[in-house]
Amino acid sequence: MHDSTSLMTAYTQGAGTRVADDHASGSSPASPARTRRGPYASTPARRAKIVRAALASFAEHGYERASLRDIAARAELTHAALLRHFSSKDELLLAALAQRDDDDEEMARRIMQSRVPAEQVLSSVLADEFSHPEHQRNWLAVTVAATNPDHPAHDFFIARRERLRQHFSSGRLATAHDGEEVTADDRITMLLAMIDGLRIQALLDPSRATLPLLETFMRTIITDDDARD
């Protein structure tokens, strides 16, 4: 397997954290209490519908402007009913980020099962996001805001990056240029910087095709020899 496929797998699988597992299963530290509320018990299906509604609301309005009432309406619930499943917008943000990563991972899995060249897998996963500038701007705003240690999603993004780093923690890796090496941490840093940088450039000039540059980057920094390291 070409290592750019391996890198794509790490990017998507490394995105998941314990938050993803908790919200996908409907479990959380508060879940036992919720399961004792009779008709208001928090079921995985109901929670999943709320998370999907939150994803749509955050994408359309941005995290700061999105409201729990809007999310509840999208999920066909009352505001009070939503609060029986999620106690705050911060909790919903973490669930939405985890779901977004899960969706990307599933898409990557499907793409990798097709005949798409390995270096195009990541750009294929990101194509839908890049085709919706306003949604992309809102999600990018969350990423930037989360650089503040006090932001509710700060730990999520730190854990996300750590998963990626651990996947490439063994030794130094060759590049396509003889005599050049980068550490696993260097490569993850460059990959994430490339993606975020292309997001900004695409928003600045929507007429410019930026994702092909990501494919060029993948061919440049990833070599077939990497898969044998």
Side-chain angles (χ1 to χ4, degrees):
M1 179 184 295
H2 192 292
D3 200 50
S4 58
T5 301
S6 176
L7 185 58
M8 180 63 237
T9 302
Y11 177 81
T12 54
Q13 292 182 345
T17 64
R18 181 63 184 170
V19 174
D21 296 334
D22 288 345
H23 287 290
S25 65
S27 65
S28 71
S31 289
R34 292 193 183 101
T35 60
R36 293 192 294 270
R37 293 183 180 178
Y40 300 116
S42 181
T43 64
R46 178 59 59 85
R47 287 175 65 87
K49 187 173 183 178
I50 295 171
V51 171
R52 290 291 178 191
L55 274 169
S57 186
F58 294 151
E60 181 176 343
H61 302 298
Y63 172 68
E64 297 297 336
R65 296 190 305 276
S67 70
L68 289 178
R69 293 188 182 281
D70 176 63
I71 295 170
R74 291 170 187 261
E76 300 179 319
L77 294 171
T78 65
H79 181 229
L82 181 147
L83 292 176
R84 297 188 186 104
H85 299 273
F86 292 92
S87 62
S88 67
K89 192 167 71 167
D90 288 356
E91 185 183 355
L92 261 175
L93 174 64
L94 296 179
L97 288 169
Q99 184 61 59
R100 192 166 181 257
D101 282 349
D102 284 349
D103 290 345
D104 284 349
E105 181 180 341
E106 177 58 30
M107 183 183 297
R109 185 180 297 109
R110 292 197 305 269
I111 292 171
M112 286 188 285
Q113 291 172 347
S114 69
R115 296 180 179 273
V116 173
E119 66 272 15
Q120 294 179 16
V121 173
L122 183 51
S123 60
S124 298
V125 170
L126 296 173
D128 183 68
E129 174 193 326
F130 275 61
S131 68
H132 295 86
E134 191 58 37
H135 294 181
Q136 185 180 47
R137 185 177 292 108
N138 287 331
W139 286 116
L140 188 59
V142 171
T143 305
V144 173
T147 60
N148 184 337
D150 294 329
H151 192 275
H154 179 77
D155 290 345
F156 177 93
F157 284 104
I158 293 297
R160 187 177 193 263
R161 190 182 188 285
E162 184 58 29
R163 289 288 186 88
L164 291 169
R165 178 188 293 138
Q166 290 176 2
H167 189 87
F168 292 101
S169 61
S170 58
R172 300 180 67 83
L173 306 167
T175 69
H177 302 287
D178 292 339
E180 294 186 10
E181 290 182 329
V182 294
T183 66
D185 189 58
D186 290 339
R187 183 157 65 162
I188 292 303
T189 299
M190 286 190 290
L191 175 62
L192 295 177
M194 181 72 173
I195 293 171
D196 287 340
L198 289 178
R199 284 175 170 134
I200 293 173
Q201 294 304 312
L203 290 171
L204 287 172
D205 184 3
S207 67
R208 180 177 177 82
T210 53
L211 282 176
L213 297 175
L214 179 59
E215 296 170 18
T216 300
F217 173 79
M218 298 295 282
R219 287 192 295 269
T220 300
I221 198 64
I222 308 300
T223 70
D224 289 325
D225 290 339
D226 288 342
R228 296 190 291 272
D229 285 351

